[in-house]
Amino acid sequence: MNEPEPRKIKIFDTTLRDGEQSPGASMNLAEKTKIAQALVELGVDVIEAGFPIASDGDFEAVRDIAKNVRGATICGLARCCDGDIDRAWEAIKHSERARIHVFLATSAIHREFKLKAGKEEIIRRTIEGVRRAAGYCSDVEFSPEDASRTEIEFLRDVVTAAIDAGATTINVPDTVGYATPAQMYSVISQLRKRVSNIDRAVISVHCHNDLGMAVANSLAAIEAGAGQIECTINGIGERAGNCSLEEIVMALRTRNDYYHADTNIVSPRLVPTSRLVANITGMKVQRNKAIVGQNAFAHEAGIHQDGMLKERTTYEIMRPEDVGFTKSDLVLGKHSGRAALADRARTLGYRLSGEQLNTVFAQFKTLADKKKEVYDGDLGAMIEQQIHATPELWSIRSYHVSTGSGETPEVKLTLCRGEEEYTTEMACGDGPIDAIFLAIEKLTGISVVCKDFHVHSVTVGKDAQGEVMVEVEHNGRIYRGRSVSTDSIEASTKAFLNAINRIAAIQNKEEGSE
Ligand code: KIV
Ligand code: ZN
């Protein structure tokens, strides 16, 4: 007998909205559009592109994505009030498929302390907000914020009213990550059983990870009949983050025997998308993170390695290539040609334009001269640098650093801005990197507070490339910079300048609009 088709669960990705609410994860318009395109390739059903009323930047990013990204529903978030809903519609109206996501808190704590509103007023506002959104488009999602701490009878009333007013998706947020799997199962089951018009809406859940249960809670909701999961790449999001997309997707696919449910996700795109989001946001993925962490498929113990050699399934429940890890860490050398590099890049999940390939090939040749073997990690780092290049207002012409034990490090630095060259006389610092950072601040006139700085090696060996990530604060906002090189001073200099260039780009834009 044929197995029944698995039930299709919609994936609603909120990396660009809730994910961007992670401290320091803010992204610019070009970066958001790149992520939205990658999410389409990944196969997500709905992209929550942002919260258009939050700022002009948010509005522009949502509008840009709605105009240019095809292949998924584009959703804009709105509080339950006219101004927000109108602005959300303005931002998404050019999309192929548009959704407005309206939310209003329903729990007693939020009613009393945040909204200072009684139950009747909440119901009235829900109806008005959903009706207004439904006047603009037929796809309306309503979220009773803090649903998991809302009295179940009241939750039922709000949900019934929202569906009657035109909501086509009812999202149940565990806003503060307080729910447990059994509770989530019970809430969804009760809504399904006791809300008379529930068959007119898809039930969705949006679980936060404060107690580390976001994925488990989302899976419990699916067992109870939820048809949509809200999640983010790498699980980023407010506080401890959201349900991780890669984990929920692979849990459903690997345990299809149990859940009888699946998604439209193209799983080999998981690792490339995870890397893209990590590089753009600067939020590194922990090594042991399920599915996309560097160690997720590494077998260290001898007994495990022995088992793997005899039969892979002894210790592996998924194949690395199914989530986008390449089977081999194939090594390229200085005799490898352009075609081999292009092929390797494709296998790693990158689609490079001819021009990008030319640049990466030139960089690869330089690297292969310095390093005998170029690994996948090296190649990935070079490609990421190339495809996420930000416009460079300032670039490095040259630098010279002198340092030694017991000596004050000194640096002479020349930067270019357009045709002009700017040189510092000797600048001093606590260490060579500090001296370079100070010299850059002096030449560009942009002062920052360095919040984070870390170097890690991209691959193995003494000649491995170092990847430097810096995080700086300027006028209350966080900016990130990244660079890779076999020379860690060069990587640090470029990473810091990368962050400064992001600030300079914003300053330029602001000056232009004055
Ligand atoms: O966590 C939450 O409640 C939210 C809503 C806006 C859905 O992010
Ligand atoms: Zn949230």
Side-chain angles (χ1 to χ4, degrees), residues 400 410-414 422-428 435 439 442-443:
H400 177 83
E410 290 181 337
V411 59
K412 185 168 181 193
L413 172 74
T414 303
Y422 301 80
T423 304
T424 46
E425 287 320 311
M426 288 299 173
C428 304
K442 210 157 146 191
L443 287 183

Side-chain angles (χ1 to χ4, degrees), residues 345-403:
R346 254 193 314 275
T347 315
L348 290 171
Y350 298 106
R351 284 161 191 68
L352 297 178
S353 66
E355 203 183 317
Q356 285 172 329
L357 182 62
N358 288 343
T359 314
V360 173
F361 187 58
Q363 289 171 353
F364 158 72
K365 283 288 174 188
T366 313
L367 185 67
D369 268 340
K370 288 192 202 158
K371 242 174 143 260
K372 256 200 350 257
E373 292 159 336
V374 179
Y375 294 93
D376 285 351
D378 291 315
L379 199 55
M382 269 179 345
I383 296 175
E384 300 282 352
Q385 180 146 298
Q386 175 58 29
I387 57 186
H388 306 142
T390 39
E392 281 198 333
L393 219 57
W394 294 93
S395 58
I396 300 166
R397 163 74 71 222
S398 64
Y399 65 88
H400 177 83
V401 191
S402 67
T403 188

Side-chain angles (χ1 to χ4, degrees), residues 40-330:
V40 170
E41 284 187 42
L42 180 64
V44 310
D45 301 282
V46 186
I47 296 174
E48 187 163 54
F51 190 7
I53 196 84
S55 69
D56 289 346
D58 263 50
F59 176 82
E60 273 174 42
V62 178
R63 194 180 47 181
D64 199 67
I65 291 170
K67 280 188 173 162
N68 300 315
V69 177
R70 293 286 176 260
T73 297
I74 305 299
C75 173
L77 182 68
R79 285 168 300 187
C80 204
C81 55
D82 294 357
D84 278 39
I85 295 166
D86 298 351
R87 192 83 173 138
W89 174 245
E90 263 314 295
I92 59 168
K93 67 181 179 192
H94 296 296
S95 60
E96 197 178 11
R97 295 189 291 276
R99 175 180 294 189
I100 302 178
H101 177 187
V102 181
F103 74 100
L104 180 64
T106 49
S107 66
I109 302 176
H110 281 237
R111 292 195 311 262
E112 185 182 342
F113 297 106
K114 191 176 89 175
L115 300 173
K116 304 201 185 322
K119 288 181 176 173
E120 272 156 37
E121 190 182 337
I122 298 290
I123 302 242
R124 181 184 57 75
R125 283 171 62 179
T126 299
I127 295 172
E128 282 174 11
V130 172
R131 273 199 191 138
R132 191 171 188 94
Y136 286 126
C137 64
S138 57
D139 189 347
V140 176
E141 173 167 325
F142 176 73
S143 286
E145 191 191 4
D146 205 17
S148 55
R149 293 193 299 172
T150 300
E151 308 90 314
I152 188 71
E153 298 75 21
F154 182 54
L155 188 62
R156 285 200 320 250
D157 294 345
V158 177
V159 167
T160 311
I163 297 174
D164 272 342
T168 46
T169 299
I170 292 294
N171 179 46
V172 178
D174 180 25
T175 303
V176 289
Y178 182 73
T180 65
Q183 180 198 351
M184 212 63 193
Y185 184 93
S186 154
V187 171
I188 303 304
S189 302
Q190 292 197 55
L191 292 181
R192 286 191 69 208
K193 268 191 223 128
R194 315 261 292 272
V195 171
S196 56
N197 53 7
I198 198 73
D199 55 324
R200 286 170 19 211
V202 172
I203 301 183
S204 164
V205 289
H206 173 109
C207 299
H208 277 274
N209 205 30
D210 300 65
L211 293 173
M213 292 194 281
V215 175
N217 286 338
S218 305
L219 286 168
I222 289 174
E223 279 193 79
Q228 175 182 283
I229 297 297
E230 301 204 355
C231 46
T232 58
I233 301 293
N234 299 335
I236 63 171
E238 190 83 41
R239 305 182 309 280
N242 289 67
C243 169
S244 134
L245 182 147
E246 48 285 348
E247 292 179 22
I248 188 106
V249 163
M250 289 316 289
L252 292 177
R253 197 149 294 171
T254 310
R255 296 308 313 273
N256 185 27
D257 61 317
Y258 179 76
Y259 291 107
H260 306 294
D262 200 2
T263 65
N264 287 325
I265 294 298
V266 182
S267 63
R269 297 294 310 157
L270 288 171
V271 168
T273 315
S274 157
R275 286 191 184 141
L276 175 72
V277 170
N279 283 324
I280 286 182
T281 59
M283 295 185 69
K284 283 258 135 208
V285 171
Q286 82 205 44
R287 289 180 88 100
N288 63 332
K289 162 95 169 61
I291 318 296
V292 292
Q294 217 177 315
N295 290 358
F297 293 88
H299 300 273
E300 185 69 21
I303 298 174
H304 289 207
Q305 288 174 353
D306 178 55
M308 282 289 292
L309 290 173
K310 287 177 176 143
E311 167 55 41
R312 186 191 62 79
T313 53
T314 50
Y315 287 102
E316 224 166 60
I317 58 165
M318 296 166 274
R319 294 184 313 165
E321 53 271 33
D322 289 344
V323 303
F325 281 113
T326 45
K327 235 189 276 171
S328 70
D329 200 10
L330 191 88

